[in-house]
Amino acid sequence: MADARGCFVTLFLLCVCANAQYQPNWASIDSRPLPAWYDEAKLGIFIHWGVFSVPSFSSEWFWWNWKGGQSTPGVRFFMQQNYRPGFTYADFAALFTAEFFNAEDWADTFAASGAQYIVFTSKHHEGFCNWPSKASFNWNSMDVGPKRDIVGELATAIRNKTKLHFGLYHSMFEWFHPLYLSDKANNFTTQDFVKDKTMPELYELINTYQPDVIWSDGDWEAPDVYWNSTQFLAWLYNESPVKDTVVTNDRWGKGIACHHGGFLTCSDRYNPGVLQKRKFENAMTVDKYSWGYRRNARITDFLSMEELLGTFIQTVSCGGNMLMNVGPTKDGLIIPLFQERLLNMGEWLNVNGDAIYSTRPWTFQNDSLTNNTWYTSKVTPSGRNVYAIILDWPKGDTLSLGRPLTTVATTVSMLGYPGNFNWKERSTGGMDIEIPAIPINKMPCKYAWVFQLTGIGN
Ligand SMILES: *[C@@H]1O[C@H](CO)[C@@H](O)[C@H](O)[C@H]1NC(C)=O
Ligand SMILES: *[C@@H]1O[C@H](CO)[C@@H](O)[C@H](O)[C@H]1NC(C)=O
Ligand SMILES: *[C@@H]1O[C@H](CO)[C@@H](O)[C@H](O)[C@H]1NC(C)=O
Ligand SMILES: *[C@@H]1O[C@H](CO)[C@@H](O)[C@H](O)[C@H]1NC(C)=O
């Protein structure tokens, strides 16, 4: 009897120890290494879709102003022009029809972009859940609007049709929720909203859909102790069904972003331009002015391929991933302009992926002689490659690079083009690469060309 009890106690302790690798405090949470897939992936697709896709009018401006109870003159005018009197934000949900939403088409489009993961808005600041959440009666995509489990359909399609990792965005706060507003009025000394909504939702999302990314947001009004963030993260890392694969960001409470969590997102469109100590993600938008779809967008509001690749390459050189956002329409379509940018990214990555996927930052991030030239590097079985990615094609027949130290073993080639290029060491250091006359129809890509350098001394 005593022996049996001893054995039971030992086993119990073993279980506790095995499950308690990470403690609910930031030092412990921050000590967890990011699962390797995330750094290797470099490109993810962010998808903002929800009830806000119905007005789809200058979305960012619109949502932020709606909080004021439709009192802002701009929002009031927009509503008077477009909707009957008395129409409330909640009434938009029934118009969130999603009739053309085909998760498999989305999965194909995202896979064709060369991205390695997606992050989908399970719930944004207005609290509408894109899955049949038990914590969100009558304000979810099964009860109102689509009458479908959007998150579930997308998770299944991504897993069945692609190798992409499936990730979810989740807003901790909700602008209109009475419990959130009362906790806020109590200076966040009560946690009724966290008990009723935030935590049940997060656990439900993870246990049901097993996402590899939890992209938290809407945290910044309240301290992390209000949100119980470290308790949740310790569970996520120690015990959850995704404990070995999941990555998270840094938006877990007031003052936490840019300091604690998994990868750092700091501010939206974070693109520091210099090497970072910690892994970061540049969450940015193809439509410069909005996360959600905007019916009133103009063609010049969208980043060109040159701008998009410039941002991407700079981000990767400095150690980051880029999370590239598109906003589908309320009926579930990804408009051709977003499709085109996604497909062009995929075409570029098909040629130049060696310089991106699984690379590490090099000794220098950009060049000293040639503007808009960014570096990455990668150790291969035959040695270390350095990639010089040039955003501007050289004006003459020479590409001068100031940073690489050449050796007798140095070779230069261009990804997607046969053979090696001649080069000379510069008297002041660095190298001059001789660019042959390349017929336009032999160019490997239309923008951002990659020179692969081997046998580099620094
Ligand atoms: C609210 O809480 C913060 C920190 O928890 C404290 O500094 C502040 O004085 C409080 N404000 C009120 C009005 O109680
Ligand atoms: C927060 O975590 C503490 C400690 O684990 C727990 O006692 C409390 O119930 C949690 N609160 C919520 C709202 O989850
Ligand atoms: C290299 O990058 C830094 C930081 O973004 C920038 O200040 C500098 O102008 C860049 N140099 C060149 C030659 O582009
Ligand atoms: C690089 O950019 C700087 C600042 O815009 C400019 O003065 C310089 O002429 C550029 N150099 C080249 C080689 O284009």
Side-chain angles (χ1 to χ4, degrees):
M1 192 63 197
D3 280 348
R5 197 178 301 137
C7 184
F8 175 78
V9 169
T10 310
L11 276 176
F12 177 76
L13 284 176
L14 273 176
C15 290
V16 168
C17 292
N19 282 339
Q21 188 180 359
Y22 296 102
Q23 309 299 321
N25 63 67
W26 287 118
S28 180
I29 296 297
D30 290 351
S31 73
R32 176 179 179 259
L34 285 176
W37 73 263
Y38 178 77
D39 178 48
E40 290 163 9
K42 307 301 182 191
L43 181 65
I45 304 298
F46 211 173
I47 305 118
H48 271 68
W49 199 40
V51 170
F52 51 84
S53 309
V54 174
S56 57
F57 177 84
S58 292
S59 302
E60 222 158 334
W61 167 87
F62 186 85
W63 312 340
W64 286 107
N65 284 292
W66 193 284
K67 267 203 306 182
Q70 307 179 44
S71 58
T72 332
V75 171
R76 203 163 55 223
F77 179 75
F78 174 83
M79 293 309 296
Q80 280 164 359
Q81 293 297 302
N82 297 284
Y83 301 93
R84 62 180 160 74
F87 188 97
T88 69
Y89 191 94
D91 295 323
F92 281 130
L95 304 178
F96 179 30
T97 46
E99 67 265 38
F100 299 129
F101 170 58
N102 181 324
E104 299 203 340
D105 285 352
W106 283 24
D108 288 340
T109 303
F110 301 144
S113 76
Q116 305 294 299
Y117 61 104
I118 71 162
V119 177
F120 177 69
T121 48
S122 66
K123 182 192 91 171
H124 213 279
H125 303 330
E126 91 283 68
F128 188 84
C129 292
N130 276 325
W131 81 100
S133 175
K134 291 185 187 74
S136 191
F137 172 71
N138 239 1
W139 193 232
N140 71 68
S141 65
M142 192 60 91
D143 290 345
V144 207
K147 306 280 171 71
R148 292 160 75 170
D149 177 3
I150 305 283
V151 172
E153 288 184 38
L154 195 54
T156 302
I158 290 286
R159 292 196 172 111
N160 287 351
K161 295 211 77 182
T162 77
K163 295 195 170 75
L164 274 64
H165 293 266
F166 179 73
L168 291 172
Y169 166 106
H170 176 265
S171 173
M172 294 187 119
F173 76 15
E174 292 175 24
W175 282 333
F176 315 115
H177 202 287
L179 291 180
Y180 180 71
L181 297 177
S182 67
D183 284 349
K184 190 173 165 176
N186 294 335
N187 201 9
F188 299 117
T189 54
T190 50
Q191 280 184 304
D192 295 341
F193 177 71
V194 182
K195 274 194 201 97
D196 258 48
K197 285 284 289 181
T198 316
M199 283 305 141
E201 282 171 3
L202 280 171
Y203 283 88
E204 190 177 76
L205 281 173
I206 284 155
N207 288 322
T208 312
Y209 305 107
Q210 311 197 355
D212 281 343
V213 186
I214 279 289
W215 212 102
S216 180
D217 197 21
D219 58 310
W220 54 81
E221 290 184 344
D224 57 303
V225 290
Y226 167 73
W227 296 119
N228 260 22
S229 295
T230 55
Q231 283 86 357
F232 168 72
L233 289 169
W235 171 81
L236 186 69
Y237 291 172
N238 290 329
E239 290 170 70
S240 80
V242 288
K243 65 187 169 65
D244 298 323
T245 50
V246 76
V247 294
T248 69
N249 65 345
D250 55 349
R251 300 190 183 183
W252 295 105
K254 192 176 189 170
I256 300 300
C258 224
H259 294 100
H260 298 295
F263 58 86
L264 304 183
T265 63
C266 300
S267 48
D268 292 352
R269 303 179 181 82
Y270 184 63
N271 185 15
V274 292
L275 183 63
Q276 300 294 291
K277 286 206 186 73
R278 270 178 72 166
K279 185 71 195 179
F280 72 98
E281 186 181 75
N282 177 1
M284 48 73 73
T285 54
V286 177
D287 173 354
K288 285 180 245 180
Y289 304 111
S290 182
W291 296 89
Y293 174 65
R294 277 193 314 143
R295 287 176 289 166
N296 56 325
R298 294 157 190 258
I299 192 76
T300 49
D301 295 343
F302 296 91
L303 293 183
S304 66
M305 274 316 292
E306 285 84 349
E307 291 170 317
L308 204 46
L309 280 169
T311 302
F312 180 43
I313 289 156
Q314 184 172 352
T315 301
V316 173
S317 289
C318 297
N321 281 13
M322 186 169 90
L323 187 63
M324 171 179 159
N325 180 76
V326 298
T329 62
K330 65 165 182 144
D331 31 31
L333 298 174
I334 298 170
I335 57 166
L337 190 132
F338 285 133
Q339 289 182 37
E340 190 249 13
R341 294 296 189 274
L342 292 167
L343 295 178
N344 283 344
M345 283 300 279
E347 257 179 47
W348 187 86
L349 280 162
N350 267 340
V351 175
N352 300 297
D354 281 352
I356 299 292
Y357 300 124
S358 301
T359 58
R360 305 286 309 145
W362 184 51
T363 316
F364 294 93
Q365 279 59 64
N366 60 355
D367 197 58
S368 50
L369 291 175
T370 301
N371 289 338
N372 300 322
T373 296
W374 294 87
Y375 291 102
T376 61
S377 71
K378 188 192 293 184
V379 176
T380 73
S382 53
R384 191 193 47 164
N385 295 343
V386 174
Y387 300 97
I389 312 178
I390 64 167
L391 295 169
D392 303 324
W393 186 253
K395 292 206 173 64
D397 54 9
T398 304
L399 170 65
S400 300
L401 297 179
R403 292 304 189 187
L405 292 182
T406 58
T407 68
V408 287
T410 298
T411 68
V412 178
S413 58
M414 180 162 64
L415 293 187
Y417 191 77
N420 286 346
F421 291 3
N422 295 328
W423 60 270
K424 283 199 212 70
E425 191 181 350
R426 289 172 62 89
S427 55
T428 51
M431 65 201 296
D432 283 336
I433 298 166
E434 202 180 292
I435 308 287
I438 302 173
I440 193 118
N441 62 348
K442 293 283 190 309
M443 285 296 264
C445 55
K446 289 177 256 177
Y447 18 58
W449 302 267
V450 179
F451 289 82
Q452 175 176 293
L453 318 176
T454 66
I456 292 300
N458 57 338

